[in-house]
Amino acid sequence: MIDKFLRDEQDPKAVEKVYSRLVDLLTTGEEIIYIAVQKKPIVNLFPDCIAITNKRILFFTPANLGLSIKFVDFVWKDIVDVYTKEEIIGAVFSAKTTIGTEMGVDYLPKVQARKLYQYAQERKEAEREARRLRELEEKRAESGAVNIDHASNLGFQAPVQQQSPVAAPVPTPPPAPVVQEEPKKDELTEKLKRLKTLFESGLISQEEYNHKKLELLSDF
């Protein structure tokens, strides 16, 4: 069961201890990808270990003279970045979380540190893609909700009241032409003639004639 985790010179005893603990910690659908084991140059009785799964990264530290083992784990969505630094003896692998926590193990065989970095980058990329898809689905869901609300609003719009047809205006007949009565053409002439006859007959004075003539002309 642990043979695939011993291909890069990992300590079998350390891997077996970590693996037995990991099996109890795995969640549904979680799989172990890689296990790296610290290798100090002088004393290496209780090495620290790092395990990577498809869901998280776990740091194991032996305690009580190797009788127990403690661990700290971080899910990939909380990992900001991973680092590896190769030194004269071995390499250092560390991970930084979104809240600023940084965990690392030194004296790792360089090949194991490189594998850890490779797998960690792959998992981070997969997590970024999964996050992008989740955000896309959320946006689609929000867009769908807006459309549904809009459709609901359209469904419950108050019916438009139909306006009663406006009766066509009755055309007003044009006003009847005013027939102006033309004054009798001979009326003024006849009056002036009679007035002149009175003056010539001496029945009215010149002054009365002029005054009466002005009245007749002003009336017409």
Side-chain angles (χ1 to χ4, degrees):
M1 294 295 293
I2 66 172
D3 291 344
K4 62 179 179 180
F5 304 118
L6 303 175
R7 297 172 183 173
D8 297 316
E9 302 179 358
Q10 288 94 334
D11 183 350
K13 291 182 179 180
V15 170
E16 184 177 3
K17 186 176 292 187
V18 168
Y19 181 82
S20 62
R21 184 67 184 277
L22 264 174
V23 171
D24 295 332
L25 297 173
L26 295 178
T27 61
T28 303
E30 188 173 15
E31 299 177 355
I32 304 171
I33 297 175
Y34 194 76
I35 299 176
V37 181
Q38 185 183 54
K39 189 175 183 179
K40 293 182 179 180
I42 301 177
V43 180
N44 196 40
L45 296 177
F46 311 112
D48 293 344
C49 299
I50 301 176
I52 288 179
T53 75
N54 59 327
K55 293 186 177 182
R56 51 185 166 162
I57 181 171
L58 303 96
F59 295 85
F60 292 91
T61 303
N64 300 324
L65 299 177
L67 297 177
S68 62
I69 187 169
K70 297 180 181 180
F71 76 94
V72 178
D73 65 328
F74 304 98
V75 293
W76 287 113
K77 70 180 183 65
D78 292 335
I79 299 295
V80 175
D81 210 346
V82 293
Y83 311 91
T84 182
K85 179 181 179 182
E86 296 188 2
E87 299 179 335
I88 297 176
I89 301 176
V92 178
F93 177 86
S94 59
K96 186 176 182 180
T97 68
T98 54
I99 60 175
T101 303
E102 189 167 350
M103 292 288 295
V105 174
D106 56 3
Y107 293 108
L108 288 170
K110 294 179 181 179
V111 63
Q112 295 181 35
R114 293 168 188 167
K115 291 287 185 67
L116 283 174
Y117 183 79
Q118 175 188 347
Y119 293 135
Q121 290 293 349
E122 290 176 355
R123 295 318 307 169
K124 283 181 60 197
E125 181 63 28
E127 177 58 33
R128 280 195 293 268
E129 179 63 16
R131 186 186 306 115
R132 186 186 70 83
L133 293 176
R134 286 195 300 269
E135 292 175 352
L136 183 60
E137 289 298 325
E138 289 175 357
K139 289 180 179 179
R140 287 177 179 173
E142 291 176 358
S143 177
V146 170
N147 290 335
I148 291 173
D149 290 342
H150 181 62
S152 299
N153 291 336
L154 290 177
F156 287 100
Q157 284 183 348
V160 178
Q161 294 183 353
Q162 296 184 351
Q163 297 181 351
S164 300
V166 179
V170 179
T172 304
V178 178
V179 179
Q180 296 182 352
E181 296 181 358
E182 295 183 3
K184 296 179 180 180
K185 295 180 180 180
D186 295 337
E187 184 177 355
L188 177 61
T189 302
E190 292 296 329
K191 288 185 178 181
L192 289 175
K193 284 182 178 181
R194 289 198 295 271
L195 181 63
K196 187 175 181 180
T197 299
L198 292 174
F199 172 68
E200 290 177 350
S201 301
L203 298 176
I204 59 173
S205 63
Q206 181 69 46
E207 184 179 358
E208 290 177 332
Y209 172 74
N210 294 336
H211 178 72
K212 190 62 178 177
K213 183 178 179 180
L214 289 175
E215 286 184 356
L216 293 173
L217 293 174
S218 63
D219 290 339
F220 289 91

